[in-house]
Amino acid sequence: MSGAALLVIDMQRVYAPGGAWATPGFDRAEANILRLCRRYPRRLFTRHLPFSDPPGTWKRYNAEFAGINRDPECARLIPALEALDHLSFEKQTYSALSSGALRAHLLAADYAEILMTGVQSEFCVLATLMDAVDLGLPVTLVWDACAGSSPALDAALHDIAALMPCQVRLATTEEVLNG
């Protein structure tokens, strides 16, 4: 096994304060992710991008949010993360592990621990967490380094993960850094 990796899901400008999908708690998640970045050099960052030829209901999603999807600034990582060394993975679905390069990377890398962080708790973080569990990956959900559309949804992510103690370790940033 090859140590720990920090998985940062979709910390893009569209979710930052002032962005089209500004996410409550984003600043807290960003601060905690940056603290983790100082400790963990194996950084895996994802970005949610629209399908070029969307299947099924993703056509409606792309049509509904066409203006946001056309704005290249929305898709960029926030500046503090963009400047850091990292491996970058693009995704088109909520789960970063439903297919693609990140899934292949994590299955091949055999990390001892994958520290999961990012936005949005109720969509991309939860979907990725569930796929990680199904793949048997060693996930630690750093729940105070995640942010969703409301505090209630952040709490729901925590509560869902707590129901899977055999597959998911729950930790705060402090616990990860000092544990």
Side-chain angles (χ1 to χ4, degrees), residues 65-172:
F65 302 112
I68 293 168
N69 289 338
R70 278 193 296 270
D71 183 349
E73 277 302 301
C74 288
R76 291 181 64 192
L77 292 173
I78 57 171
L81 293 179
E82 199 171 54
L84 297 175
D85 286 334
H86 65 276
L87 295 178
S88 184
F89 298 90
E90 295 178 354
K91 64 186 193 62
Q92 283 77 41
T93 60
Y94 293 128
S95 173
L97 297 174
S98 63
S99 64
L102 179 60
R103 178 185 178 117
H105 174 81
L106 290 176
L107 291 173
D110 197 28
Y111 292 111
E113 182 178 32
I114 300 162
L115 302 165
M116 189 176 295
T117 67
V119 296
Q120 284 186 306
S121 296
E122 69 277 16
F123 292 113
C124 298
V125 177
L126 177 60
T128 302
L129 178 69
M130 298 308 288
D131 277 349
V133 167
D134 284 349
L135 292 170
L137 296 172
V139 176
T140 296
L141 179 66
V142 188
W143 61 270
D144 64 344
C146 297
S149 297
S150 74
L153 293 171
D154 289 335
L157 173 67
H158 176 277
D159 293 349
I160 290 167
L163 295 172
M164 300 180 282
C166 295
Q167 292 99 0
V168 179
R169 177 179 163 238
L170 271 172
T172 64

